[in-house]
Amino acid sequence: MEPRNNTRISVFLLMGFSEEPELQPFFFDLFLSMYLITIFGNMLIILIIISDAHLHTPMYFFLANLSFVDICFSSTTVPKMLANIQIQSKVITYEGCITQMYFFLLFVGLDDFLLTVMAYDRFIAICHPLQYTVIMNPQFCGLLVLVSWIISVVHALLESLMVLRLSFCTDVEIPHFFCELNQVVNCACSDTFINEIVMCLLAVLLGGCPLTGILFSYYKILSSIRMISSTQGKYKAFSTCASHLSVVCLFYFTTMGVYISSSTTHNARAGTTASVLYTVVTPMLNPFIYSLRNRDIKEALKRLLRREVIKGHLSWH
């Protein structure tokens, strides 16, 4: 049967996790709680960094940007999923699907590039401490973030435009809780060879290059730490990048886990469940990692709470 050329299909169906009605309230409560924790935690990190002059440094400038991107990242997928569960619908419009896919690609790319920039920042701080303030000046830090945005926007736009050229049959079911690029392309009726080539090339280029940069930075960092004679000095140097290293491992291991589980099991449900780790769990855990493992953030939070208590006491009197 020859597929109909219907690029103007009006809706897609997001199949989500389960079709069992009794599980829907559980999923709604679970993901609403995780989403609210993500928003509150990352907004708190941003507020702490903005309000505390001690944290107006390149490392925390990048962290504030990462927290903002994590808020946007979660907001791209979770609210639509919650809305569909609440109204008992699986529908997402064609335009809505392409838009969601674009912003998902944009923010996951930004996450990746910002983690790379933060690794470079730690590399300069530990390996070239005397030149740190000269190299990591505000203009250069702003440029690094701007370049990350530009590359991510171009990448997301290219991938989305490539999907727009595809034809889709009627009643397209996406076995996922959001419009994930691979799943949308797999649902196409027309030839997807060019799309698959572009996706592979960009995945290697935009995924491999940042990962290589992070690995190189930490190789140099570990080499420098090994040359420090005192144990206390080694601990102090490594503690400055422990939180970032934890977030990097969480991001890359969960992302790779999604694709490994999808490719080995050939089960769309397994890939959907695994993708929750990097789309929902990782942005939620990042603030906890930075607050629990970072003394500067904990001290800044104490100062912020102390100021608020004093303000409240003065206003009361």
Side-chain angles (χ1 to χ4, degrees), residues 130-168:
L130 298 179
Q131 298 171 284
Y132 179 71
T133 53
V134 176
I135 296 174
M136 302 303 293
N137 59 75
Q139 293 77 20
F140 184 61
C141 292
L143 181 63
L144 288 173
V145 172
L146 178 62
V147 170
S148 299
W149 272 93
I150 291 172
I151 296 174
S152 300
V153 166
V154 172
H155 166 234
L157 188 60
L158 177 60
E159 295 277 27
S160 301
L161 290 174
M162 290 294 294
V163 172
L164 287 175
R165 59 178 285 276
L166 297 175
S167 300
F168 294 92

Side-chain angles (χ1 to χ4, degrees), residues 33-197:
S33 301
M34 294 171 74
Y35 180 63
L36 292 176
I37 292 170
T38 300
I39 299 299
F40 176 76
N42 283 287
M43 285 186 69
L44 183 60
I45 292 289
I46 295 171
L47 177 63
I48 291 170
I49 292 171
I50 290 174
S51 62
D52 197 301
H54 295 88
L55 301 182
H56 293 176
T57 63
M59 182 173 76
Y60 294 109
F61 169 71
F62 296 133
L63 176 57
N65 278 273
L66 182 68
S67 293
F68 171 74
V69 169
D70 279 341
I71 291 172
C72 297
F73 186 29
S74 291
S75 299
T76 301
T77 57
V78 179
K80 177 59 180 174
M81 176 181 62
L82 293 174
N84 279 6
I85 293 174
Q86 186 67 18
I87 64 175
Q88 299 181 355
S89 170
K90 299 179 184 297
V91 172
I92 185 171
T93 64
Y94 175 80
E95 295 80 5
C97 186
I98 299 298
T99 302
Q100 186 185 64
M101 185 175 61
Y102 169 80
F103 282 108
F104 177 82
L105 291 169
L106 168 63
F107 293 122
V108 77
L110 272 170
D111 245 358
D112 198 11
F113 286 119
L114 285 173
L115 289 173
T116 308
V117 167
M118 292 171 78
Y120 176 73
D121 171 73
R122 291 299 83 205
F123 160 67
I124 298 297
I126 293 173
C127 299
H128 305 282
L130 298 179
Q131 298 171 284
Y132 179 71
T133 53
V134 176
I135 296 174
M136 302 303 293
N137 59 75
Q139 293 77 20
F140 184 61
C141 292
L143 181 63
L144 288 173
V145 172
L146 178 62
V147 170
S148 299
W149 272 93
I150 291 172
I151 296 174
S152 300
V153 166
V154 172
H155 166 234
L157 188 60
L158 177 60
E159 295 277 27
S160 301
L161 290 174
M162 290 294 294
V163 172
L164 287 175
R165 59 178 285 276
L166 297 175
S167 300
F168 294 92
C169 303
T170 56
D171 300 327
V172 178
E173 294 184 352
I174 299 174
H176 220 298
F177 65 93
F178 69 97
C179 290
E180 199 266 337
L181 177 63
N182 290 323
Q183 298 291 349
V184 173
V185 170
N186 289 338
C187 290
C189 292
S190 56
D191 182 38
T192 60
F193 178 74
I194 297 176
N195 292 72
E196 289 168 1
I197 293 295

Side-chain angles (χ1 to χ4, degrees), residues 23 30 115 150 162 183 185 197 221 228 232 251 274 299 307 310:
L23 290 177
L30 175 65
L115 289 173
I150 291 172
M162 290 294 294
Q183 298 291 349
V185 170
I197 293 295
I221 287 170
I228 299 173
Q232 187 177 1
F251 178 82
E299 291 298 322
R307 284 199 301 269
I310 292 172

